[in-house]
Amino acid sequence: EDQVTQSPEALRLQEGESSSLNCSYTVSGLRGLFWYRQDPGKGPEFLFTLYSAGEEKEKERLKATLTKKESFLHITAPKPEDSATYLCAVLDSGGYQKVTFGTGTKLQVIP
Amino acid sequence: NAGVTQTPKFQVLKTGQSMTLQCAQDMNHNSMYWYRQDPGMGLRLIYYSASEGTTDKGEVPNGYNVSRLNKREFSLRLESAAPSQTSVYFCASSSFATNEKLFFGSGTQLSVL
């Protein structure tokens, strides 16, 4: 059974204080690892897809990296508008389109 | 483009009542999904439809039924609502052309009393 574990559950940062969110995963065959951002009262919004170990993707202050067992979402010099819940998910290479989500990291960036 | 549209946004039901959640996407995606999101549980797949005319069970299908009405629309029905079905429900869509990334609707907050 596929598993996705995110840590920490919550993170409070001062504006400009860089940090990383972790996503550990267990999957029989990885077809893709996704990062989503979710704001309160809204649906998750796609950020990145990573397909193989060593791959990196960047978008503004966010950079996602992937190893064979985990992914990190690095946040550089965060701003208050980066406050959200960040979700990690894995797509199994099995017979159907099964995406398993982690429970998320709630990030709060304080001015 | 509206993307993925869900209705209603909020709903309160009494135990035993039935209701249908509606979902439509205008991105010409083949696959559509229904998820529920509960505190501490993450998003869990209820049902999905890989293509028009097909539906399959996900992780937590008990108590739900779905209909893929056409390529755009995918509805979720609760035949006899139970308090355990109190949750936030999200519809999503995807396609091979978008490398399977999910596009989500804004959610339905359902309370069953």
Side-chain angles (χ1 to χ4, degrees), chain B residues 49-105:
Chain B
S49 171
S51 61
E52 186 179 356
T54 68
T55 61
D56 286 284
K57 296 178 180 179
E59 184 183 354
V60 288
N62 291 345
Y64 306 95
N65 285 300
V66 291
S67 295
R68 183 74 183 266
L69 304 170
N70 47 55
K71 191 171 185 179
R72 291 185 63 248
E73 298 173 287
F74 189 38
S75 63
L76 179 71
R77 183 161 178 84
L78 286 70
E79 291 290 352
S80 180
S84 61
Q85 293 178 306
T86 293
S87 186
V88 181
Y89 291 85
F90 289 100
C91 178
S93 68
S94 72
S95 75
F96 289 115
T98 61
N99 294 322
E100 302 304 333
K101 68 183 181 186
L102 294 167
F103 293 79
F104 285 86

Side-chain angles (χ1 to χ4, degrees), chain A residues 31 34 36 38 41-46 49 51 87 91 96-97 99 101-103, chain B residues 9 31 33 35 37 40-43 48 50 90 96 99-102 104-106:
Chain A
R31 206 161 107 194
F34 304 87
Y36 291 87
Q38 186 173 22
K42 295 189 177 181
E45 181 181 346
F46 172 80
T49 309
Y51 294 101
L87 302 174
L91 175 61
Y96 68 102
Q97 292 156 273
V99 177
F101 281 85
T103 54
Chain B
K9 194 161 179 64
S31 302
Y33 312 80
Y35 285 89
Q37 187 174 39
M41 299 291 290
L43 283 157
Y48 71 100
F90 289 100
F96 289 115
N99 294 322
E100 302 304 333
K101 68 183 181 186
L102 294 167
F104 285 86
S106 56

Side-chain angles (χ1 to χ4, degrees), chain A residues 29-90:
Chain A
L30 183 69
R31 206 161 107 194
L33 183 141
F34 304 87
W35 283 97
Y36 291 87
R37 170 191 170 127
Q38 186 173 22
D39 293 297
K42 295 189 177 181
E45 181 181 346
F46 172 80
L47 291 173
F48 304 108
T49 309
L50 301 168
Y51 294 101
S52 58
E55 189 174 0
E56 299 183 352
K57 293 271 180 77
E58 284 190 69
K59 180 180 180 180
E60 296 180 358
R61 295 175 292 282
L62 301 176
K63 183 168 85 171
T65 62
L66 180 65
T67 72
K68 288 186 178 180
K69 293 183 178 181
E70 57 191 351
S71 177
F72 292 93
L73 185 64
H74 307 277
I75 303 176
T76 303
K79 298 182 178 182
E81 53 262 41
D82 295 322
S83 297
T85 296
Y86 291 86
L87 302 174
C88 174
V90 294

Side-chain angles (χ1 to χ4, degrees), chain A residues 22-36:
Chain A
N22 178 262
C23 171
S24 298
Y25 65 91
T26 304
V27 63
S28 54
L30 183 69
R31 206 161 107 194
L33 183 141
F34 304 87
W35 283 97
Y36 291 87

Side-chain angles (χ1 to χ4, degrees), chain A residues 12-28:
Chain A
R12 198 175 183 195
L13 299 173
Q14 290 291 136
E15 184 172 1
E17 179 186 2
S18 301
S19 187
S20 297
L21 313 183
N22 178 262
C23 171
S24 298
Y25 65 91
T26 304
V27 63
S28 54

